[in-house]
Amino acid sequence: MTSLDIFLWIVFPYISMTIFVLGHIYRYNKDQFGWTAKSSQFLEQKRLRFGSTVFHWGIIFVFLGHVGGLLIPKLWFDTIGITDEYYHFGAIWFGGLAGLAVVVGGFFLFLRRVSVKRVVKNSSPSDYVALIMLGIVVLVGFTNTAGYTASGGTFDYRVVIGPWVRELLTFQPSQAMVASMAQAPIGFQLHVTLAFVLFAIWPFTRLVHVFSLPLKYLNRNYVVYRNAKPYGTPKTKTKYDVSSK
Amino acid sequence: MKIKAQFGMVMNLDKCIGCHTCSVTCGNTWTNRPGTEYMYWNNVETKPGMGYPKRWEDNDERKGGWQVKNGKLELKAGGKASKLLNIFYNKDLVQIDDYYEPWTYDYEHLINSPEKEHQPVARPVSQLTGEYMDITWGPNWEDDLAGVHETGKQDPNMRNLDEQIKFEFEETFMMYLPRICEHCQNPSCVSSCPSGAMYKREEDGIVLVDQDTCRSWRFCMTGCPYKKVYFNWKTHKAEKCTFCFPRIETGQPTICSETCVGRLRYIGIVLYDADKVLEAASVPDEKDLYEAQLGTFLDPYDPEIQKEALKQGIPADWIEAAQKSPVYKMAVEQRIALPLHPEYRTMPMVWYVPPLSPFMNAMGGQVNTLDPNVIFPTINQFRIPIDYLASLFTAGDSDVIRKVLQKLVAMRTYMRYKELNKEFDRSILTEAGMTEETAEEMYQLSAIAKYEDRYVIPKSHREDAGDMHLRQGTAGFDFMEACRSCMGGSPQDADPLSYYESGFWRELDENAPKGF
């Protein structure tokens, strides 16, 4: 195990995750105003329609696939009777399809961003960085699924990358897993490392809107009232009451 | 009973001369920033016409407001789950081109141009792309019926007219319609906002966008049937008319009202029962919505209401203001003001006195009689068709319009006879449901229209407010720039588009007191 291995598979991921967490906390506290999805639909929507819809739905399923593949131990799948064959069939076809949606949708969004004048003029450097970085990670990941696993690659990320990620997240990195990460095919190594680069820039781009998915809306009263002087309640250091209708 | 106070406005359309002073002063006060060039929180439309944005009243397409489905009130554009499923692409969104592509002119060229055979001209430059553009639509493209022979037929109000109106010179008609945010009792924009960034102020009913909480989901723009929530394409946040709350809180009228040349705007509060709003907005027949909304208003003279209002924390001076309120007088007591498009079921709070117009009669000259049977039928021959007004203000109920116009005509006739010291036959007043006192009162309020009668604005009781520091940034536009060039400070940017680059916002937002 070289020091480069330790850096790539322990030090750098932790640096990235630290930036990810602290960056979000910092930005949330300091830049509520900038924390938006930065929608450009108002300026151009014909070309946004396909790209945005396909990309976003694709990436939701890609995310769920990663949760299933990395955070849920292989043992769990084995126990409920999902064999390796079944799992890989699902991973390749559903994962591949979702990945394809992300690649195609993302490509349309990229073309739109660089060719529609109104959108180009209204894009910040961070928009390009986020889009390109995300694109590279996705392309490498998709190549792994479509070009390696689907064409008979034998590397099982569920026994290497999965446990390694879980060890990282539980702050128990082991030499054994670092060593096997160092042996993983280059495509997977690249995908993982680039993903951690993406996580490190994430809090400083528009990608923060992922954490603003407004699920609260589902069980909220339609009309929101805010009260400058809550009737009958003493002055307290609370935020606005969002009282019911 | 849950008593709430609500600011409202009445616009007396009889007096509007379409000068756009309201739009200009509003623009200078609120929307002279990059990203807001195209916005007119207050705009004046010439009707008939497509409007601003184009065909905003075509609600089958625009999907604003509410509808009753299976007896239940639901957002027309879709409920909560459907909104979240369509959050990546809002298929009903209005585009900036429906308002217009904002432009400026290449003024520099007038000065820098080398000597040429012809005079240099300042060509229009798009503020979205910075490139030269041809102007094909603008905020007042249809001013004073310009091009109405083309666009007038696309006015959604025209489809409700029985007779086919021809846009020929002899037969055409027009009126002005100044519009601001309606600050509805049942706001569909607030209800459409998934982030909870839009809110209605409990104490005075003003609807605002919390700029810090807005996440750019843009459903509010579709949700508002009046298309009065705008998208700042620079900041990616929703913005809208604030009812000039900083002025209102100190007892001053909104800037559009203050500067109105025709003095046609009235501001006051009404007390209403919030528990009745849902029921009133859900009545099955659209034509009942006007009466249903009036039914939510409470009588500020009723001692029981006063007692209950005080108990619920409405300040005594606000109850007094509700009694003097011109909005209450014109909408409830005199019944000459009507809500704009009540069929959207948002229960709007900017009401309009419909305009009189010359009648196209065969008699010629003045009708010099007091006989109601002669005078009132002329209303049906007004140049502005009753059905057109009904389409705007009463969901198509032309009887209500006719009654209002009767009152306006009866009041004028009564006052004319009174000024001339002539014998007056009261039957014309009786027929219109008025007495001499009410006619006199209507005259005082609409013709004399003293400043203190037009604006009865109780000051807000900020001394009782909670911790104001925590609320910084939640009520409006504290990020707006002061005049940068006029303070002798830094020179203005050559390119207005560069205002917001390089962390500009972050720097300004340093003080935002938000917890995680």
Side-chain angles (χ1 to χ4, degrees):
Chain A
M1 196 165 60
T2 64
S3 47
L4 179 69
D5 293 337
I6 293 177
F7 176 78
L8 278 181
W9 312 118
I10 298 180
V11 178
F12 178 62
Y14 275 127
I15 291 175
S16 164
M17 286 192 285
T18 308
I19 296 175
F20 185 80
V21 173
L22 294 184
H24 275 105
I25 294 174
Y26 176 82
R27 177 127 185 242
Y28 194 86
N29 279 282
K30 288 290 183 189
D31 185 29
Q32 276 291 314
F33 186 74
W35 189 292
T36 83
K38 291 192 78 177
S39 166
S40 57
Q41 192 188 345
F42 186 56
L43 298 179
E44 196 283 331
Q45 67 175 11
K46 280 201 186 96
R47 296 178 61 179
L48 182 73
R49 179 173 205 157
F50 177 80
S52 178
T53 313
V54 168
F55 170 83
H56 279 102
W57 282 110
I59 206 148
I60 284 175
F61 285 104
V62 165
F63 171 76
L64 293 177
H66 278 70
V67 170
L70 296 178
L71 300 187
I72 300 174
K74 185 167 182 248
L75 188 64
W76 189 82
F77 287 104
D78 293 343
T79 314
I80 64 165
I82 296 177
T83 63
D84 283 6
E85 286 72 36
Y86 272 123
Y87 179 87
H88 283 293
F89 179 81
I92 288 166
W93 283 102
F94 292 111
L97 214 62
L100 187 69
V102 175
V103 170
V104 173
F107 184 65
F108 270 74
L109 290 181
F110 177 78
L111 282 185
R112 173 177 178 272
R113 187 154 296 278
V114 296
S115 66
V116 177
K117 280 256 162 53
R118 294 175 174 187
V119 181
V120 175
K121 276 276 179 185
N122 203 23
S123 299
S124 69
S126 87
D127 295 340
Y128 286 109
V129 171
L131 185 57
I132 290 169
M133 214 37 235
L134 193 64
I136 294 174
V137 172
V138 164
L139 276 178
V140 173
F142 182 67
T143 312
N144 288 339
T145 299
Y148 178 85
T149 310
S151 49
T154 51
F155 174 71
D156 190 349
Y157 48 80
R158 286 192 299 161
V159 297
V160 177
I161 306 182
W164 169 76
V165 165
R166 291 197 293 275
E167 282 183 5
L168 275 184
L169 291 180
T170 51
F171 301 105
Q172 298 165 321
S174 72
Q175 286 204 4
M177 288 325 296
V178 171
S180 44
M181 275 305 282
Q183 302 300 319
I186 181 77
F188 287 89
Q189 288 185 340
L190 211 56
H191 180 63
V192 170
T193 308
L194 288 169
F196 277 107
V197 175
L198 178 67
F199 294 152
I201 60 165
W202 190 295
F204 312 103
T205 66
R206 66 194 307 178
L207 297 177
V208 293
H209 77 269
V210 170
F211 299 102
S212 295
L213 185 68
L215 293 174
K216 262 190 188 164
Y217 182 54
L218 289 173
N219 64 49
R220 185 195 88 194
N221 279 312
Y222 264 135
V223 180
V224 176
Y225 290 97
R226 290 192 194 179
N227 197 341
K229 185 189 77 171
Y231 297 127
T233 54
K235 286 177 194 173
T236 49
K237 278 208 159 192
T238 53
K239 285 194 178 180
Y240 267 118
D241 294 332
V242 178
S243 64
S244 62
K245 193 167 161 186
Chain B
M1 186 174 1
K2 172 79 186 133
I3 302 181
K4 283 191 172 149
Q6 159 87 45
F7 271 104
M9 186 184 282
V10 169
M11 298 194 206
N12 188 348
L13 294 184
D14 232 3
K15 296 183 175 185
C16 185
I17 57 169
C19 66
H20 301 285
T21 307
C22 44
S23 309
V24 170
T25 51
C26 172
N28 284 343
T29 307
W30 291 103
T31 55
N32 55 350
R33 293 163 283 135
T36 65
E37 311 90 343
Y38 82 93
M39 293 182 202
Y40 284 93
W41 292 356
N42 179 110
N43 76 299
V44 185
E45 283 168 24
T46 300
K47 287 284 171 189
M50 287 204 270
Y52 165 86
K54 287 178 196 167
R55 296 177 63 73
W56 60 271
E57 289 157 294
D58 184 357
N59 222 15
D60 293 337
E61 186 196 335
R62 299 288 188 209
K63 300 263 193 277
W66 304 85
Q67 65 185 355
V68 174
K69 219 174 171 181
N70 307 324
K72 226 180 139 243
L73 195 67
E74 190 50 83
L75 288 168
K76 197 170 172 100
K80 293 170 183 168
S82 116
K83 282 207 169 30
L84 290 198
L85 289 174
N86 289 297
I87 203 160
F88 307 128
Y89 179 84
N90 174 2
K91 61 186 186 330
D92 303 312
L93 190 70
V94 177
Q95 290 286 281
I96 193 168
D97 306 275
D98 292 329
Y99 292 91
Y100 70 100
E101 182 169 352
W103 72 84
T104 180
Y105 292 92
D106 184 10
Y107 295 111
E108 292 253 304
H109 182 65
L110 298 179
I111 298 161
N112 299 341
S113 169
E115 191 178 348
K116 285 180 184 167
E117 192 185 346
H118 299 289
Q119 287 284 335
V121 290
R123 288 172 65 188
V125 177
S126 164
Q127 286 177 309
L128 294 181
T129 63
E131 294 183 346
Y132 290 124
M133 65 179 276
D134 289 324
I135 302 168
T136 53
W137 189 257
N140 288 307
W141 207 250
E142 306 166 297
D143 227 20
D144 294 340
L145 295 183
V148 78
H149 59 286
E150 296 266 336
T151 61
K153 282 172 201 135
Q154 295 190 57
D155 179 342
N157 296 298
M158 292 309 257
R159 67 181 168 204
N160 298 328
L161 294 192
D162 293 335
E163 66 228 272
Q164 189 57 44
I165 303 285
K166 293 190 195 112
F167 288 98
E168 281 166 18
F169 184 70
E170 296 82 6
E171 288 171 62
T172 194
F173 65 95
M174 70 172 234
M175 57 182 278
Y176 297 113
L177 185 69
R179 302 200 298 124
I180 65 169
C181 163
E182 300 278 345
H183 298 277
C184 305
Q185 286 176 285
N186 184 32
S188 50
C189 56
V190 173
S191 307
S192 302
C193 174
S195 313
M198 293 196 73
Y199 62 96
K200 191 167 175 63
R201 301 213 301 192
E202 182 110 35
E203 59 276 11
D204 58 14
I206 293 175
V207 175
L208 297 174
V209 185
D210 179 344
Q211 292 287 306
D212 274 357
T213 312
C214 173
R215 297 285 182 254
S216 200
W217 301 131
R218 71 218 169 271
F219 287 118
C220 53
M221 301 169 64
T222 306
C224 173
Y226 302 95
K227 296 294 168 274
K228 278 289 172 189
V229 187
Y230 301 88
F231 191 80
N232 183 324
W233 52 273
K234 265 284 168 194
T235 65
H236 312 96
K237 303 254 170 171
E239 295 189 11
K240 64 178 287 300
C241 158
T242 62
F243 212 72
C244 287
F245 71 89
R247 291 176 60 91
I248 289 287
E249 284 177 10
T250 55
Q252 302 171 76
T254 64
I255 202 73
C256 54
S257 309
E258 179 79 273
T259 58
C260 175
V261 174
R263 303 182 181 183
L264 57 96
R265 299 192 187 215
Y266 300 76
I267 296 174
I269 57 169
V270 293
L271 302 179
Y272 72 99
D273 183 357
D275 289 338
K276 280 192 191 162
V277 168
L278 182 62
E279 191 193 337
S282 313
V283 295
D285 187 352
E286 289 180 345
K287 289 183 181 170
D288 296 336
L289 281 160
Y290 163 57
E291 286 295 338
Q293 185 173 5
L294 283 176
T296 66
F297 297 161
L298 299 169
D299 179 2
Y301 291 99
D302 183 340
E304 287 300 311
I305 300 286
Q306 291 172 4
K307 223 171 84 189
E308 183 61 27
L310 282 171
K311 211 175 100 195
Q312 293 192 17
I314 309 261
D317 56 334
W318 279 56
I319 297 173
E320 205 179 311
Q323 294 173 343
K324 292 186 195 156
S325 164
V327 177
Y328 185 78
K329 282 182 182 152
M330 296 169 100
V332 181
E333 290 179 357
Q334 303 172 359
R335 293 205 169 215
I336 51 170
L338 301 167
L340 179 62
H341 287 300
E343 71 273 20
Y344 299 156
R345 296 179 184 273
T346 61
M347 301 171 70
M349 278 309 294
V350 176
W351 290 42
Y352 293 87
V353 179
L356 296 171
S357 49
F359 56 91
M360 316 208 290
N361 71 334
M363 292 174 271
Q366 247 183 356
V367 183
N368 216 354
T369 170
L370 279 177
D371 185 354
N373 295 325
V374 176
I375 291 187
F376 286 151
T378 62
I379 288 170
N380 290 318
Q381 297 170 35
F382 278 174
R383 215 178 168 94
I384 303 173
I386 303 281
D387 286 340
Y388 188 81
L389 294 173
S391 172
L392 281 175
F393 301 118
T394 59
D397 189 343
S398 49
D399 287 342
V400 176
I401 298 284
R402 220 166 266 127
K403 268 184 206 142
V404 171
L405 295 181
Q406 271 187 12
K407 286 184 181 180
L408 299 180
V409 169
M411 181 267 278
R412 279 164 175 73
T413 317
Y414 168 70
M415 289 310 297
R416 187 192 309 145
Y417 275 73
K418 197 181 160 196
E419 292 297 316
L420 295 174
N421 285 322
K422 278 194 185 172
E423 273 299 306
F424 186 72
D425 174 6
R426 282 185 191 77
S427 62
I428 188 164
L429 286 179
T430 321
E431 187 118 330
M434 297 160 72
T435 62
E436 285 182 49
E437 288 77 52
T438 54
E440 186 76 35
E441 196 184 33
M442 199 189 287
Y443 166 75
Q444 287 294 335
L445 196 54
S446 60
I448 304 301
K450 291 271 190 202
Y451 191 88
E452 59 269 25
D453 293 333
R454 275 183 285 138
Y455 307 126
V456 181
I457 302 167
K459 287 181 185 168
S460 93
H461 287 271
R462 278 285 165 188
E463 69 276 15
D464 294 339
D467 190 329
M468 311 256 279
H469 181 66
L470 279 173
R471 278 148 203 179
Q472 239 181 25
T474 63
F477 302 88
D478 59 347
F479 57 87
M480 288 209 302
E481 297 163 83
C483 178
R484 300 210 308 176
S485 54
C486 61
M487 300 296 283
S490 54
Q492 206 163 6
D493 286 318
D495 174 14
L497 292 176
S498 67
Y499 272 25
Y500 299 102
E501 298 304 319
S502 64
F504 178 76
W505 294 115
R506 208 151 303 147
E507 190 188 319
L508 273 188
D509 229 40
E510 212 63 60
N511 296 320
K514 280 275 180 175
F516 191 65

